[in-house]
């Protein structure tokens, strides 16, 4: 198989917290040395592609903003395309608010005036946010989550609640499921991958630490999937004794990865088998 493009996750794959993971630089260099175009795709919605490119640069990886897609930038684009004239009530970080404002999307702090409710990760989420989210969904026409991640990997090795936890909290009290959840593995993310990489998806691979987002995105697009054990998924979550890797815990749908490696530094062993 001639691999020409790679979707690379960030949190738990390239870095964890503020620390570059062992072997991450070597893994990215192996992709580039093989002539494989990289697109870094993260479900973290709190920063813009420019901010992520700067962060990666500070860790020693030169990446251009157009080589990064975040759930936050995807959400801002989605709102501008589908809700350009609506008032958006947003529960989310300052970074997401800035991206939405830069996309010329109109927001409101009045839950009773909301046409669209957007829920996302914010460290400031509290009872008042939950209450106003409930009120906003009473009359809103649309309910959008930035991404489905219930947790994300912290630097200390323990997971932290993510956007999906906040979206589920609001959805539960309102007794209303989101109309749309963006980020991986959504079709909107797949469209960005097609556009940015410009290669047939069956000539691309996905590298990440989550079966329900990274592997699921690859399965949806017909890409080769590589699960790393440096983030949310650990060795106890996979069975490597058979001919092909298998997830131990039952999951909905086929989310067994094509390959499992400890981290990005082991990616050359995969590339030698598929390039």
């Amino acid at each position: 198989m001639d691999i020409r493009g790679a979707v690379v996750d960030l949190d738990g794959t390239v870095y964890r917290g503020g620390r570059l993971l062992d072997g991450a630089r070597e893994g990215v260099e192996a992709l580039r040395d093989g002539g494989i175009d990289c697109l870094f795709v993260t479900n973290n919605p709190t920063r813009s592609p420019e901010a992520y490119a700067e962060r990666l640069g500070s860790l020693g990886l030169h990446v251009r903003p157009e080589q990064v897609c975040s759930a936050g930038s995807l959400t801002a684009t989605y709102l501008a395309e589908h809700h350009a004239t609506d008032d958006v009530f947003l529960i989310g970080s300052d970074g997401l608010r800035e991206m939405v404002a830069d996309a010329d999307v109109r927001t409101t702090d009045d839950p009773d005036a909301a046409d669209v409710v957007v829920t996302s990760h914010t460290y400031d989420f509290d009872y008042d946010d939950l209450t106003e989210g409930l009120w906003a969904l009473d009359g809103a026409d649309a309910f959008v989550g930035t991404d489905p991640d219930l947790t994300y990997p912290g630097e200390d090795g323990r997971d932290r609640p993510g956007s999906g936890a906040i979206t589920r909290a609001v959805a539960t009290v309102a007794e209303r499921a989101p109309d749309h959840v963006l980020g991986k593995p959504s079709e909107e993310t797949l469209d960005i991958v097609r556009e940015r990489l410009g290669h047939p998806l069956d000539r691309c691979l996905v590298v990440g630490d989550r079966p329900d987002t990274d592997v699921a995105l690859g399965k949806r697009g017909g890409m080769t999937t590589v699960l790393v054990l440096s983030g949310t998924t650990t060795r106890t979550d996979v069975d490597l004794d058979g001919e092909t890797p298998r997830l131990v815990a039952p999951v909905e749908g086929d989310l067994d990865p094509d390959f499992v490696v400890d981290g990005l530094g082991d990616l050359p062993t995969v590339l030698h088998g598929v390039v």
Side-chain angles (χ1 to χ4, degrees), residues 78-195:
Y78 177 84
L79 292 172
E81 291 178 351
H82 297 276
H83 298 285
T85 61
D86 292 333
D87 288 319
V88 176
F89 182 82
L90 173 61
I91 297 173
S93 67
D94 290 341
L96 178 60
R97 290 181 182 279
E98 291 175 8
M99 284 181 274
V100 169
D102 288 343
D104 293 325
V105 173
R106 199 166 62 209
T107 58
T108 178
D109 292 328
D110 180 2
D112 295 327
D115 299 308
V116 182
V117 175
V118 175
T119 50
S120 183
H121 179 271
T122 171
Y123 292 113
D124 297 327
F125 182 70
D126 59 16
Y127 186 81
D128 288 340
D129 289 320
L130 188 61
T131 301
E132 291 187 341
L134 169 65
W135 293 344
L137 284 173
D138 275 342
D141 296 322
F143 179 16
V144 178
T146 57
D147 62 276
D149 288 19
L150 290 175
T151 62
Y152 66 92
E155 189 168 6
D156 62 357
R158 296 188 296 180
D159 287 352
R160 303 286 193 273
S163 299
I166 291 174
T167 295
R168 284 198 185 183
V170 176
T172 298
V173 297
E175 297 185 273
R176 175 176 173 179
D179 301 299
H180 221 80
V181 178
L182 300 166
K184 296 175 287 188
S186 71
E187 191 65 37
E188 287 78 10
T189 301
L190 205 56
D191 288 342
I192 291 289
V193 172
R194 290 191 185 96
E195 175 189 333

Side-chain angles (χ1 to χ4, degrees), residues 14 25 35 45 56-57 60 66 73 108 117 120 129 138 142 155 200 202 212 217 241 251:
V14 173
R25 183 180 291 105
L56 289 168
E66 59 269 25
S73 61
T108 178
V117 175
S120 183
D129 289 320
D138 275 342
E155 189 168 6
D202 62 358
D212 58 337
L217 180 72
D241 292 333
V251 293

Side-chain angles (χ1 to χ4, degrees), residues 2-117:
D2 181 21
I3 296 296
R4 307 311 305 156
V7 177
V8 183
D9 178 48
L10 291 179
D11 284 305
T13 301
V14 173
Y15 53 70
R16 189 160 192 152
R19 178 177 64 87
L20 189 71
L21 288 166
D22 293 341
R25 183 180 291 105
E26 292 78 6
V28 173
E29 289 175 353
L31 290 169
R32 290 172 169 171
D33 290 345
I36 297 171
D37 296 320
C38 296
L39 179 65
F40 298 89
V41 182
T42 175
N43 269 5
N44 190 323
T46 62
R47 302 185 187 210
S48 68
E50 291 78 12
Y52 277 112
E54 183 177 346
R55 182 181 190 186
L56 289 168
S58 71
L59 295 173
L61 293 175
H62 176 67
V63 176
R64 300 189 305 275
E66 59 269 25
Q67 294 174 310
V68 182
C69 173
S70 75
S73 61
L74 180 63
T75 298
T77 298
Y78 177 84
L79 292 172
E81 291 178 351
H82 297 276
H83 298 285
T85 61
D86 292 333
D87 288 319
V88 176
F89 182 82
L90 173 61
I91 297 173
S93 67
D94 290 341
L96 178 60
R97 290 181 182 279
E98 291 175 8
M99 284 181 274
V100 169
D102 288 343
D104 293 325
V105 173
R106 199 166 62 209
T107 58
T108 178
D109 292 328
D110 180 2
D112 295 327
D115 299 308
V116 182
V117 175

Side-chain angles (χ1 to χ4, degrees), residues 207-219:
V207 188
D209 68 316
R210 297 185 66 106
D212 58 337
T213 58
D214 301 304
V215 173
L217 180 72
K219 296 284 187 180

